[in-house]
Amino acid sequence: MALRCWRWWHWSAWPRSRPPPSGSTPSRSRTPLGFCQQFSTQEQTPQICVVGSGPAGFYTAQHLLKHHPRACVDIFEKQLVPFGLVRFGVAPDHPEVKNVINTFTQTARSDRCAFHGNVVVGTDVTVPELREAYHAVVLSYGAEDNQALEIPGEELPGVFSARAFVGWYNGLPENRELAPDLSCDTAVILGQGNVALDVARILLTPPEHLEKTDITEAALGVLRQSQVKTVWIVGRRGPLQVAFTIKELREMIQLPGTRPILDPADFLGLQDRIKEVPRPRKRLTELLLRTATEKPGVEEAARQASASRAWGLRFFRSPKQVLPSADGRQVAGVRLAVTRLEQGVGEATRAVPTGDVEDLPCGLVLSSIGYKSRPIDPSVPFDPKLGIIPNVDGRVMNVPGLYCSGWVKRGPTGVITTTMTDSFLTSQILLQDLKAGQLPSGPRPGYAAIKALLSSRGVWPVSFSDWEKLDAEEVSRGQGTGKPREKLLDPQEMLRLLGR
């Protein structure tokens, strides 16, 4: 590790007429001079470990490498492949969002950065062992669980978390056996965020429109046979409190072969109330209002009339029970409590039940009420109610040298750019602590110590160059059908391809 960093530091002085040492590759990152002058070139090499290779992990690593001329960063990931929710969460028909992978790849190829996949922190290696080996550890492992509905019937066949459904069509290995039954006419999605709209869009998009994306072939095969004609997207509050954004709403409104179902009564009096709301919320609500209340033009009316599928937003409804079929073997509907809004402002507005209920028949229920983080190690404090690691500005409370970034730091909210800003702030705090002498002094072994531990435990880490071999295989498999890639789903097959 130290040698890797030493080589990077001395390239600037390497004679231009001579090639660098064999097997070496210049770092792709360049460090702004102004910030680097805060750190002496005679200082020790800070060994820093990041747990998680999604946006939070990579943005944390990127900032550390950019703003410290000697820092070396190891990224540990439990999956065999990197990029977290960029690979497994972003919808297949949103390829432009995945372009950030190019930036992460440049970070991973830096001579001062190393990726170690197939390593489960908390099982294969503990956080105390990482803290012993590194000057600082940053936990950036995201939110890998989902909020439970906690209502009767949610264990019935035909009820899935949206997180698992997204993982299934995006090739997350743990969800590859999900096998949702799409032979029903109606699906209900509980929740009104962007993930809910992603799932609705994938359910209703004509399969031929997905054939050139990186959706898995297995998922595409199931979607081709789908009988789902109507998708209801249910929220406990009203149009002013929806959590999705205008881009996702616009995509739903324009989705080929579908028509929207919105009840104008849900929007009564809204025109006056939106005048005072922030501009993004105002634009979103105006689009909802127009869609619900204005008569479509001739062309749009004809398009909607010919549509064979439909989607609708049901407001002021909260799930009380998932209803079973007569034989009790399958979901048959959802019992919804009718709600009203208590006085409040914006997100503080609460929905309370009125006492009325209604049943919504369906054959598929997808719960999209939020992701949540899990505790990673008994040594790391965790707030189960908030689903985060207690921290102040990214410093884990009462554990010096331990930091967190991303969703495990602040909760599962925001988009990739939100996580970028958040991760930069955590790495900035870490570098401040390093400069102030608040991190352990003296050399630390870094990955050399962890490699020995993993080897003794029979764990085979996957390097970034290993990932690039798997990446090339996926791209090759996709070329035959005109897809950008065909994702590998089986970890054992991946390890075989790598000769393990």
Side-chain angles (χ1 to χ4, degrees):
M1 185 81 171
L3 178 61
R4 189 174 74 218
C5 296
W6 183 94
R7 283 205 308 263
W8 185 91
W9 184 243
H10 284 269
W11 263 311
S12 60
W14 200 264
R16 290 179 183 272
S17 58
R18 291 173 55 197
S22 175
S24 302
T25 312
S27 166
R28 272 71 170 175
S29 60
R30 286 291 176 262
T31 312
L33 186 60
F35 197 98
C36 280
Q37 287 176 333
Q38 299 179 43
F39 297 97
S40 165
T41 61
Q42 303 305 313
E43 282 181 6
Q44 66 184 25
T45 296
Q47 306 282 354
I48 303 170
C49 161
V50 173
V51 179
S53 70
F58 264 107
Y59 279 128
T60 300
Q62 177 187 320
H63 196 268
L64 290 168
L65 294 168
K66 183 178 181 182
H67 292 293
H68 194 295
R70 294 176 65 83
C72 289
V73 180
D74 284 317
I75 302 174
F76 289 90
E77 167 60 55
K78 74 170 191 174
Q79 301 292 338
L80 274 75
V81 299
F83 310 132
L85 280 183
V86 180
R87 176 178 168 95
F88 295 123
V90 174
D93 58 349
H94 285 174
E96 71 286 352
V97 181
K98 303 185 189 193
N99 288 338
V100 71
I101 285 175
N102 299 328
T103 303
F104 297 164
T105 296
Q106 293 304 308
T107 298
R109 286 176 177 168
S110 163
D111 200 54
R112 297 184 291 133
C113 185
F115 170 81
H116 309 288
N118 198 35
V119 178
V120 183
V121 173
T123 304
D124 298 333
V125 61
T126 67
V127 171
E129 287 167 339
L130 292 175
R131 292 182 62 217
E132 191 69 29
Y134 292 89
H135 292 100
V137 175
V138 187
L139 301 173
S140 311
Y141 60 87
E144 53 189 351
D145 208 347
N146 56 277
Q147 298 282 1
L149 289 169
E150 297 181 344
I151 59 173
E154 71 174 308
E155 74 292 335
L156 281 168
V159 181
F160 302 96
S161 72
R163 182 193 175 281
F165 191 78
V166 169
W168 168 70
Y169 64 65
N170 270 334
L172 183 61
E174 68 190 61
N175 297 132
R176 69 186 188 278
E177 307 289 349
L178 198 72
D181 181 358
L182 305 185
S183 62
C184 59
D185 177 82
T186 302
V188 169
I189 301 171
L190 301 172
Q192 292 183 332
N194 278 343
V195 174
L197 262 58
D198 278 349
V199 168
R201 196 177 65 254
I202 294 299
L203 278 171
L204 294 176
T205 295
E208 60 270 20
H209 290 225
L210 296 171
E211 287 173 351
K212 303 305 179 186
T213 73
D214 67 358
I215 192 170
T216 68
E217 195 56 43
L220 192 55
V222 173
L223 289 167
R224 285 191 183 107
Q225 302 301 315
S226 172
Q227 300 300 306
V228 175
K229 296 290 186 290
T230 305
V231 175
W232 290 106
I233 305 158
V234 178
R236 69 187 189 282
R237 295 188 292 175
L240 268 177
Q241 289 81 35
V242 295
F244 52 73
T245 50
I246 194 166
K247 176 181 181 289
E248 280 68 26
L249 174 62
R250 196 176 285 121
E251 285 178 321
M252 287 301 298
I253 292 169
Q254 298 170 352
L255 192 62
T258 70
R259 61 185 177 84
I261 307 172
L262 298 175
D263 185 352
D266 288 334
F267 297 84
L268 290 174
L270 214 58
Q271 189 70 58
D272 294 330
R273 290 164 57 201
I274 62 175
K275 291 175 182 175
E276 305 302 320
V277 302
R279 187 169 181 269
R281 171 69 65 184
K282 183 180 179 184
R283 290 177 61 232
L284 171 64
T285 311
E286 285 173 343
L287 179 56
L288 278 170
L289 197 58
R290 286 197 303 273
T291 307
T293 60
E294 291 184 5
K295 186 177 179 181
V298 175
E299 191 176 324
E300 177 63 13
R303 188 188 75 82
Q304 291 186 17
S306 65
S308 59
R309 296 178 172 186
W311 61 273
L313 294 169
R314 296 293 289 269
F315 298 108
F316 310 111
R317 302 289 186 273
S318 181
K320 276 180 67 75
Q321 181 184 354
V322 178
L323 303 172
S325 56
D327 60 9
R329 295 183 180 178
Q330 180 69 25
V331 58
V334 183
R335 179 156 294 161
L336 301 169
V338 179
T339 64
R340 61 177 175 80
L341 296 183
E342 274 193 341
Q343 205 61 27
V345 180
E347 292 305 307
T349 308
R350 291 180 62 245
V352 294
T354 64
D356 294 333
V357 297
E358 65 180 33
D359 293 347
L360 185 56
C362 65
L364 176 70
V365 174
L366 295 163
S367 168
S368 185
I369 58 171
Y371 289 25
K372 71 174 182 181
S373 297
R374 298 172 182 162
I376 193 170
D377 188 288
S379 70
V380 179
F382 189 80
D383 184 330
K385 186 175 181 183
L386 296 177
I388 61 170
I389 295 171
N391 70 92
V392 179
D393 296 331
R395 295 183 184 96
V396 176
M397 293 175 68
N398 304 318
V399 192
L402 189 62
Y403 301 83
C404 55
S405 68
W407 282 4
V408 78
K409 170 186 172 184
R410 71 178 193 277
T413 58
V415 293
I416 290 177
T417 52
T418 320
T419 295
M420 178 184 72
T421 304
D422 170 272
S423 302
F424 286 177
L425 289 172
T426 290
S427 56
Q428 196 173 320
I429 291 290
L430 189 160
L431 292 176
Q432 286 175 13
D433 291 351
L434 179 66
K435 184 170 184 290
Q438 294 174 4
L439 296 181
S441 59
R444 289 286 171 113
Y447 184 62
I450 303 304
K451 182 180 180 182
L453 281 176
L454 295 174
S455 179
S456 71
R457 294 166 184 171
V459 179
W460 294 90
V462 170
S463 69
F464 199 77
S465 61
D466 287 335
W467 150 246
E468 291 185 313
K469 293 172 188 171
L470 298 175
D471 177 47
E473 176 67 21
E474 289 187 346
V475 171
S476 173
R477 292 186 182 192
Q479 283 175 342
T481 52
K483 298 176 69 174
R485 68 177 63 244
E486 187 58 51
K487 289 177 181 174
L488 296 163
L489 308 181
D490 183 357
Q492 294 306 313
E493 182 186 9
M494 296 185 209
L495 290 172
R496 282 197 302 272
L497 287 168
L498 295 173
R500 304 284 171 83

